[in-house]
Amino acid sequence: MRALFFSLLAAFVVLASPAFAGPKANPDIKGWEKGGEYDRLFDPKEADSLKGRVVKIIDIKPLPGMAPGIGLQIEDKKDKTLELIHLGPKDFVDLGVIGLKEGDQVKVMGAWAEMDGQDVLMATKVKKDENVQLKVRRTKDGFPFWSMTPEERKAESSGD
């Protein structure tokens, strides 16, 4: 019985992991739109991943005029450097879905970009553990989930 409960719980977490929509039905994504100046900085050829500890969850505004976003400062496990991770618009990204908090160990996938002379990782996915993840962009091309329709997001998440 216990094994069945944990199997069902794990399945729910996997299915709910792309439940990335924030509390607003129409999130403010000004400046984050697909094809915009910020979005064009995402280059799938710069794909990378890193593991580390969440040092701080921060508000970001990558470019002037953009809606506020959510970022992470991660201490890279390998070389102990502090890396800046961009997740997406604050009205869209819901870290509560995976219970992410400062001090958590994570694996972040994304693509490196340079902004204001600083390297940042534009995230596609944050994994808290094997069955708990938050997807914010398609891995193959970086298409932002916040620019998808609910139907497209559902189709994308079912193809995990």
Side-chain angles (χ1 to χ4, degrees), residues 15-85:
L15 292 174
S17 66
F20 18 73
K24 290 187 177 181
N26 295 312
D28 181 4
I29 63 167
K30 182 179 178 199
W32 296 88
E33 302 89 357
K34 176 67 184 150
E37 181 182 359
Y38 175 80
D39 185 63
R40 289 191 307 267
L41 296 172
F42 188 95
D43 182 356
K45 293 181 208 127
E46 296 296 326
D48 198 3
S49 66
L50 61 95
K51 291 181 181 179
R53 180 180 61 86
V54 177
V55 175
K56 195 169 189 179
I57 298 170
I58 57 174
D59 290 341
I60 59 172
K61 206 167 198 180
L63 299 172
M66 289 183 75
I70 296 286
L72 304 174
Q73 289 180 329
I74 304 284
E75 182 180 48
D76 188 329
K77 221 176 195 178
K78 188 170 44 175
D79 59 14
K80 301 294 184 203
T81 58
L82 203 58
E83 304 292 355
L84 180 58
I85 314 299

Coordinates of all heavy atoms in Angstrom, one line a residue, residues 15-85:
L15 N 3.8 14.7 -13.4 CA 2.8 15.3 -14.2 C 2.6 16.8 -13.9 O 2.3 17.6 -14.7 CB 1.5 14.5 -14.1 CG 1.5 13.1 -14.7 CD1 0.2 12.4 -14.3 CD2 1.7 13.1 -16.1
A16 N 2.7 17.1 -12.6 CA 2.5 18.5 -12.2 C 3.8 19.3 -12.4 O 3.7 20.6 -12.4 CB 2.1 18.5 -10.7
S17 N 4.9 18.7 -12.6 CA 6.1 19.5 -12.7 C 6.1 20.6 -13.7 O 6.7 21.7 -13.5 CB 7.3 18.6 -13.0 OG 7.3 18.0 -14.2
P18 N 5.5 20.5 -14.9 CA 5.4 21.6 -15.8 C 4.3 22.6 -15.5 O 3.9 23.4 -16.3 CB 5.2 21.0 -17.1 CG 5.3 19.5 -17.0 CD 5.1 19.2 -15.5
A19 N 3.7 22.5 -14.3 CA 2.7 23.4 -13.9 C 3.3 24.8 -13.5 O 3.3 25.2 -12.4 CB 1.9 22.8 -12.7
F20 N 3.8 25.4 -14.6 CA 4.6 26.5 -14.4 C 3.8 27.8 -14.4 O 4.4 28.9 -14.1 CB 5.6 26.6 -15.6 CG 5.2 25.8 -16.7 CD1 4.1 26.2 -17.5 CD2 5.8 24.6 -17.0 CE1 3.7 25.3 -18.5 CE2 5.3 23.8 -18.0 CZ 4.3 24.2 -18.8
A21 N 2.6 27.8 -14.7 CA 1.8 29.0 -14.7 C 1.7 29.6 -13.3 O 1.4 28.9 -12.4 CB 0.4 28.8 -15.3
G22 N 1.9 30.9 -13.2 CA 1.8 31.5 -11.9 C 0.4 31.8 -11.6 O -0.5 31.3 -12.2
P23 N 0.2 32.7 -10.6 CA -1.2 32.9 -10.1 C -2.0 33.7 -11.1 O -3.2 33.7 -10.9 CB -0.9 33.7 -8.8 CG 0.4 34.3 -8.9 CD 1.2 33.4 -9.8
K24 N -1.5 34.4 -12.0 CA -2.3 35.2 -12.9 C -2.6 34.4 -14.2 O -1.8 33.7 -14.7 CB -1.5 36.4 -13.3 CG -1.3 37.4 -12.2 CD -0.7 38.7 -12.8 CE -0.6 39.7 -11.7 NZ 0.0 41.0 -12.2
A25 N -3.9 34.6 -14.7 CA -4.3 34.0 -15.9 C -3.6 34.6 -17.1 O -3.3 33.9 -18.0 CB -5.8 34.1 -16.1
N26 N -3.3 35.9 -17.0 CA -2.6 36.6 -18.1 C -1.4 37.2 -17.5 O -1.4 38.4 -17.2 CB -3.5 37.7 -18.7 CG -4.7 37.1 -19.5 OD1 -4.6 36.2 -20.2 ND2 -5.9 37.6 -19.2
P27 N -0.3 36.4 -17.4 CA 0.9 37.0 -16.8 C 1.5 38.1 -17.6 O 1.4 38.2 -18.8 CB 1.8 35.8 -16.8 CG 1.4 34.9 -17.9 CD -0.1 35.1 -18.0
D28 N 2.2 39.0 -16.9 CA 2.9 40.1 -17.5 C 4.2 39.6 -18.0 O 5.1 39.2 -17.2 CB 3.1 41.2 -16.4 CG 3.9 42.4 -17.0 OD1 4.1 42.5 -18.2 OD2 4.2 43.4 -16.3
I29 N 4.4 39.5 -19.3 CA 5.6 39.0 -19.9 C 6.3 40.0 -20.8 O 7.1 39.7 -21.6 CB 5.4 37.7 -20.6 CG1 4.5 37.9 -21.8 CG2 4.9 36.6 -19.7 CD1 4.4 36.7 -22.8
K30 N 6.0 41.3 -20.5 CA 6.6 42.3 -21.4 C 8.1 42.2 -21.4 O 8.8 42.2 -20.4 CB 6.2 43.7 -20.8 CG 6.7 44.8 -21.7 CD 6.3 46.2 -21.1 CE 6.9 47.3 -22.0 NZ 7.0 48.5 -21.4
G31 N 8.6 42.1 -22.6 CA 10.1 42.0 -22.9 C 10.5 40.5 -22.9 O 11.7 40.3 -23.3
W32 N 9.7 39.6 -22.4 CA 10.1 38.2 -22.4 C 9.5 37.4 -23.6 O 9.7 36.2 -23.7 CB 9.5 37.6 -21.1 CG 10.1 38.1 -19.8 CD1 9.6 39.2 -19.1 CD2 11.2 37.6 -19.1 NE1 10.4 39.3 -18.0 CE2 11.4 38.4 -18.0 CE3 12.1 36.5 -19.3 CZ2 12.4 38.2 -17.0 CZ3 13.1 36.3 -18.4 CH2 13.3 37.1 -17.3
E33 N 8.8 38.1 -24.5 CA 8.1 37.4 -25.5 C 9.0 36.7 -26.5 O 10.1 37.1 -26.7 CB 7.3 38.4 -26.4 CG 6.2 39.3 -25.6 CD 6.8 40.5 -25.0 OE1 8.0 40.8 -25.2 OE2 6.0 41.3 -24.5
K34 N 8.5 35.6 -27.1 CA 9.2 34.9 -28.1 C 9.6 35.8 -29.2 O 8.7 36.6 -29.7 CB 8.3 33.7 -28.6 CG 9.0 32.9 -29.7 CD 10.2 32.2 -29.3 CE 10.9 31.5 -30.4 NZ 12.3 31.3 -30.2
G35 N 10.8 35.8 -29.6 CA 11.3 36.6 -30.7 C 11.8 38.0 -30.3 O 12.3 38.8 -31.1
G36 N 11.5 38.4 -29.0 CA 12.0 39.7 -28.5 C 13.5 39.8 -28.3 O 14.2 38.8 -28.5
E37 N 14.0 40.9 -28.0 CA 15.4 41.2 -27.8 C 16.0 40.2 -26.8 O 17.1 39.6 -27.1 CB 15.6 42.6 -27.3 CG 17.1 43.0 -27.1 CD 17.3 44.4 -26.6 OE1 16.3 45.1 -26.4 OE2 18.5 44.8 -26.4
Y38 N 15.4 40.0 -25.7 CA 15.9 39.1 -24.6 C 15.9 37.6 -25.2 O 16.8 36.9 -25.1 CB 15.1 39.2 -23.4 CG 15.4 38.2 -22.3 CD1 16.6 38.4 -21.5 CD2 14.7 37.0 -22.1 CE1 16.9 37.4 -20.5 CE2 15.1 36.1 -21.2 CZ 16.2 36.3 -20.4 OH 16.5 35.4 -19.4
D39 N 14.7 37.2 -25.8 CA 14.6 35.9 -26.3 C 15.6 35.5 -27.3 O 16.1 34.4 -27.4 CB 13.2 35.7 -26.8 CG 12.9 34.2 -27.2 OD1 13.0 33.3 -26.4 OD2 12.7 34.0 -28.4
R40 N 16.0 36.5 -28.1 CA 17.0 36.2 -29.2 C 18.4 35.9 -28.6 O 19.2 35.4 -29.4 CB 17.0 37.4 -30.2 CG 15.8 37.5 -31.0 CD 15.9 38.5 -32.2 NE 16.3 39.8 -31.8 CZ 15.5 40.8 -31.5 NH1 14.2 40.7 -31.5 NH2 16.0 42.0 -31.1
L41 N 18.6 36.2 -27.4 CA 19.9 35.9 -26.7 C 20.0 34.4 -26.4 O 21.1 33.9 -26.2 CB 20.1 36.7 -25.4 CG 20.1 38.2 -25.6 CD1 20.1 38.9 -24.2 CD2 21.4 38.6 -26.4
F42 N 18.9 33.7 -26.4 CA 18.9 32.2 -26.2 C 19.5 31.5 -27.4 O 18.9 31.6 -28.5 CB 17.6 31.7 -25.8 CG 17.6 30.3 -25.4 CD1 17.7 30.0 -24.0 CD2 17.6 29.2 -26.3 CE1 17.7 28.6 -23.6 CE2 17.7 27.9 -25.8 CZ 17.7 27.6 -24.5
D43 N 20.6 30.8 -27.3 CA 21.2 30.1 -28.4 C 21.4 28.6 -28.0 O 22.2 28.3 -27.1 CB 22.6 30.7 -28.7 CG 23.3 30.0 -29.9 OD1 22.7 29.0 -30.4 OD2 24.4 30.5 -30.3
P44 N 20.6 27.7 -28.5 CA 20.7 26.3 -28.2 C 22.1 25.7 -28.3 O 22.4 24.7 -27.6 CB 19.7 25.6 -29.1 CG 18.8 26.7 -29.6 CD 19.6 28.0 -29.6
K45 N 22.9 26.3 -29.1 CA 24.3 25.8 -29.3 C 25.1 26.1 -28.0 O 26.2 25.5 -27.9 CB 25.0 26.5 -30.5 CG 24.3 26.1 -31.8 CD 25.1 26.8 -33.0 CE 24.1 27.0 -34.1 NZ 24.1 28.3 -34.6
E46 N 24.6 27.0 -27.2 CA 25.3 27.3 -25.9 C 24.8 26.5 -24.7 O 25.0 26.8 -23.6 CB 25.2 28.8 -25.6 CG 25.9 29.7 -26.6 CD 27.4 29.4 -26.7 OE1 28.0 29.1 -25.6 OE2 28.0 29.6 -27.8
A47 N 24.1 25.4 -25.1 CA 23.4 24.5 -24.0 C 24.5 24.0 -23.0 O 25.6 23.6 -23.4 CB 22.6 23.4 -24.7
D48 N 24.0 23.9 -21.8 CA 24.9 23.4 -20.7 C 24.0 23.1 -19.5 O 22.8 23.4 -19.5 CB 25.9 24.5 -20.3 CG 27.1 24.0 -19.6 OD1 27.2 22.7 -19.4 OD2 28.0 24.8 -19.2
S49 N 24.6 22.5 -18.5 CA 23.9 22.2 -17.3 C 24.9 22.3 -16.2 O 26.1 22.2 -16.4 CB 23.3 20.8 -17.3 OG 24.3 19.8 -17.3
L50 N 24.4 22.6 -15.0 CA 25.2 22.7 -13.8 C 24.5 22.2 -12.6 O 23.2 22.3 -12.6 CB 25.8 24.1 -13.6 CG 24.9 25.2 -13.4 CD1 24.8 25.5 -11.9 CD2 25.5 26.5 -14.0
K51 N 25.2 21.7 -11.6 CA 24.6 21.3 -10.4 C 25.1 22.2 -9.3 O 26.3 22.6 -9.3 CB 25.0 19.8 -10.0 CG 24.4 18.8 -11.0 CD 24.8 17.4 -10.5 CE 24.2 16.4 -11.5 NZ 24.6 15.0 -11.1
G52 N 24.3 22.5 -8.3 CA 24.7 23.3 -7.2 C 23.7 23.5 -6.2 O 22.6 23.0 -6.3
R53 N 24.0 24.5 -5.3 CA 23.1 24.8 -4.2 C 22.5 26.2 -4.5 O 23.2 27.1 -4.9 CB 23.9 24.9 -2.9 CG 23.1 25.2 -1.7 CD 24.0 25.2 -0.4 NE 25.1 26.2 -0.5 CZ 25.0 27.5 -0.2 NH1 23.9 28.0 0.2 NH2 26.0 28.3 -0.3
V54 N 21.2 26.3 -4.3 CA 20.5 27.6 -4.5 C 21.0 28.5 -3.3 O 20.7 28.2 -2.1 CB 19.0 27.5 -4.5 CG1 18.3 28.9 -4.6 CG2 18.6 26.6 -5.6
V55 N 21.7 29.6 -3.6 CA 22.2 30.5 -2.6 C 21.1 31.6 -2.4 O 20.9 31.9 -1.2 CB 23.5 31.2 -3.1 CG1 24.0 32.2 -2.1 CG2 24.6 30.1 -3.2
K56 N 20.5 32.0 -3.4 CA 19.5 33.1 -3.3 C 18.5 33.0 -4.5 O 18.9 32.8 -5.6 CB 20.2 34.4 -3.3 CG 19.4 35.6 -2.8 CD 20.3 36.8 -2.6 CE 19.5 37.9 -1.9 NZ 20.3 39.0 -1.6
I57 N 17.3 33.3 -4.1 CA 16.2 33.5 -5.2 C 16.0 35.0 -5.3 O 15.8 35.7 -4.3 CB 14.9 32.8 -4.7 CG1 15.1 31.3 -4.6 CG2 13.8 33.1 -5.7 CD1 14.0 30.5 -3.9
I58 N 16.2 35.5 -6.5 CA 16.2 36.9 -6.7 C 15.2 37.4 -7.8 O 14.8 36.6 -8.6 CB 17.6 37.4 -7.1 CG1 18.1 36.7 -8.4 CG2 18.6 37.2 -6.0 CD1 19.4 37.2 -8.9
D59 N 14.8 38.7 -7.7 CA 14.1 39.3 -8.7 C 15.1 39.8 -9.7 O 16.2 40.3 -9.4 CB 13.3 40.5 -8.2 CG 12.1 40.1 -7.3 OD1 11.7 38.9 -7.4 OD2 11.6 40.9 -6.5
I60 N 14.8 39.7 -11.0 CA 15.7 40.1 -12.1 C 14.9 41.0 -13.1 O 13.7 40.9 -13.2 CB 16.4 39.0 -12.8 CG1 15.3 38.0 -13.5 CG2 17.3 38.2 -11.9 CD1 15.9 37.0 -14.4
K61 N 15.6 41.8 -13.8 CA 15.1 42.6 -14.9 C 16.2 42.7 -15.9 O 17.0 43.6 -15.9 CB 14.7 44.0 -14.4 CG 13.6 44.6 -15.3 CD 13.0 45.8 -14.6 CE 11.7 46.2 -15.2 NZ 11.1 47.3 -14.6
P62 N 16.3 41.6 -16.7 CA 17.5 41.5 -17.6 C 17.8 42.7 -18.5 O 18.9 43.0 -18.7 CB 17.2 40.2 -18.4 CG 16.2 39.5 -17.6 CD 15.4 40.5 -16.9
L63 N 16.7 43.3 -19.1 CA 16.9 44.4 -20.0 C 15.9 45.5 -19.6 O 14.8 45.2 -19.0 CB 16.6 44.0 -21.4 CG 17.5 42.9 -22.0 CD1 17.0 42.4 -23.4 CD2 19.0 43.4 -22.1
P64 N 16.2 46.8 -19.9 CA 15.3 47.9 -19.5 C 13.9 47.7 -20.1 O 13.8 47.2 -21.3 CB 16.0 49.1 -20.1 CG 17.4 48.7 -20.3 CD 17.5 47.2 -20.5
G65 N 12.9 48.0 -19.4 CA 11.5 47.9 -19.9 C 10.9 46.5 -19.7 O 9.7 46.4 -20.0
M66 N 11.7 45.5 -19.3 CA 11.1 44.2 -19.2 C 10.3 44.1 -17.9 O 10.6 44.7 -16.9 CB 12.2 43.1 -19.1 CG 12.9 42.9 -20.4 SD 14.1 41.6 -20.3 CE 13.1 40.1 -20.3
A67 N 9.3 43.2 -17.9 CA 8.5 42.9 -16.7 C 9.5 42.2 -15.8 O 10.5 41.5 -16.2 CB 7.4 41.9 -17.0
P68 N 9.3 42.2 -14.5 CA 10.2 41.6 -13.5 C 10.2 40.1 -13.8 O 9.2 39.5 -14.2 CB 9.6 41.9 -12.1 CG 8.6 42.9 -12.3 CD 8.2 42.9 -13.8
G69 N 11.4 39.5 -13.5 CA 11.5 38.0 -13.6 C 12.1 37.4 -12.3 O 12.4 38.1 -11.3
I70 N 12.2 36.1 -12.4 CA 12.8 35.3 -11.3 C 14.1 34.8 -11.7 O 14.2 34.2 -12.8 CB 11.8 34.2 -10.9 CG1 10.5 34.7 -10.4 CG2 12.5 33.3 -9.8 CD1 10.5 35.3 -9.0
G71 N 15.1 34.9 -10.8 CA 16.4 34.3 -11.1 C 16.9 33.6 -9.8 O 16.3 33.7 -8.7
L72 N 17.9 32.8 -10.0 CA 18.6 32.1 -9.0 C 20.1 32.4 -9.0 O 20.7 32.6 -10.0 CB 18.4 30.6 -9.1 CG 17.0 30.0 -9.3 CD1 17.1 28.5 -9.6 CD2 16.2 30.2 -8.0
Q73 N 20.6 32.5 -7.8 CA 22.1 32.5 -7.7 C 22.4 31.1 -7.2 O 21.9 30.6 -6.2 CB 22.6 33.5 -6.7 CG 22.5 34.9 -7.2 CD 23.0 35.9 -6.2 OE1 22.9 35.8 -5.0 NE2 23.5 37.0 -6.8
I74 N 23.2 30.4 -8.0 CA 23.6 29.0 -7.7 C 25.1 28.9 -7.4 O 25.9 29.4 -8.2 CB 23.3 28.1 -8.9 CG1 21.8 28.2 -9.3 CG2 23.7 26.6 -8.6 CD1 20.9 27.5 -8.4
E75 N 25.5 28.2 -6.3 CA 26.9 27.9 -6.1 C 27.2 26.6 -6.9 O 26.7 25.6 -6.5 CB 27.2 27.8 -4.7 CG 28.7 27.6 -4.4 CD 29.1 27.4 -3.0 OE1 28.4 26.6 -2.3 OE2 30.0 28.1 -2.5
D76 N 28.0 26.8 -8.0 CA 28.3 25.6 -8.8 C 29.1 24.6 -8.0 O 30.0 24.9 -7.3 CB 29.2 26.1 -10.0 CG 29.4 25.0 -11.0 OD1 29.5 23.8 -10.7 OD2 29.6 25.4 -12.2
K77 N 28.6 23.3 -8.0 CA 29.1 22.3 -7.2 C 30.6 22.0 -7.6 O 31.4 21.7 -6.8 CB 28.3 21.0 -7.4 CG 28.1 20.2 -6.2 CD 27.1 19.0 -6.5 CE 26.6 18.4 -5.2 NZ 25.7 17.4 -5.5
K78 N 30.8 22.1 -8.9 CA 32.1 21.7 -9.4 C 33.3 22.7 -9.0 O 34.3 22.3 -8.5 CB 32.0 21.6 -11.0 CG 33.3 21.0 -11.6 CD 33.1 20.6 -13.1 CE 32.3 21.7 -13.8 NZ 32.2 21.5 -15.3
D79 N 33.1 23.9 -9.3 CA 34.2 24.9 -9.1 C 33.8 26.0 -8.1 O 34.6 26.9 -7.9 CB 34.7 25.5 -10.4 CG 33.6 26.3 -11.1 OD1 32.5 26.5 -10.5 OD2 33.8 26.6 -12.3
K80 N 32.7 25.8 -7.4 CA 32.3 26.7 -6.3 C 32.1 28.1 -6.7 O 32.2 29.0 -5.9 CB 33.3 26.6 -5.1 CG 33.5 25.2 -4.5 CD 32.2 24.8 -3.8 CE 32.4 23.4 -3.2 NZ 31.2 22.7 -3.0
T81 N 31.9 28.4 -8.0 CA 31.6 29.8 -8.4 C 30.1 30.0 -8.3 O 29.3 29.1 -8.2 CB 32.0 30.0 -9.9 OG1 31.3 29.0 -10.7 CG2 33.5 29.8 -10.1
L82 N 29.8 31.3 -8.2 CA 28.4 31.7 -8.1 C 27.9 32.0 -9.5 O 28.5 32.9 -10.2 CB 28.3 33.0 -7.2 CG 27.0 33.3 -6.5 CD1 26.6 32.2 -5.6 CD2 27.1 34.6 -5.7
E83 N 26.9 31.3 -9.9 CA 26.3 31.5 -11.2 C 24.9 32.1 -11.2 O 24.2 31.8 -10.2 CB 26.2 30.2 -12.0 CG 27.5 29.4 -12.0 CD 28.6 30.0 -12.9 OE1 28.3 31.0 -13.6 OE2 29.7 29.5 -13.0
L84 N 24.6 33.0 -12.1 CA 23.3 33.6 -12.2 C 22.4 32.9 -13.2 O 22.8 32.6 -14.4 CB 23.4 35.1 -12.6 CG 22.1 35.9 -12.7 CD1 21.3 35.9 -11.4 CD2 22.4 37.3 -13.2
I85 N 21.3 32.5 -12.8 CA 20.3 31.7 -13.6 C 19.1 32.6 -13.8 O 18.5 33.1 -12.9 CB 19.9 30.4 -12.9 CG1 21.1 29.6 -12.3 CG2 19.0 29.5 -13.8 CD1 22.1 29.2 -13.3

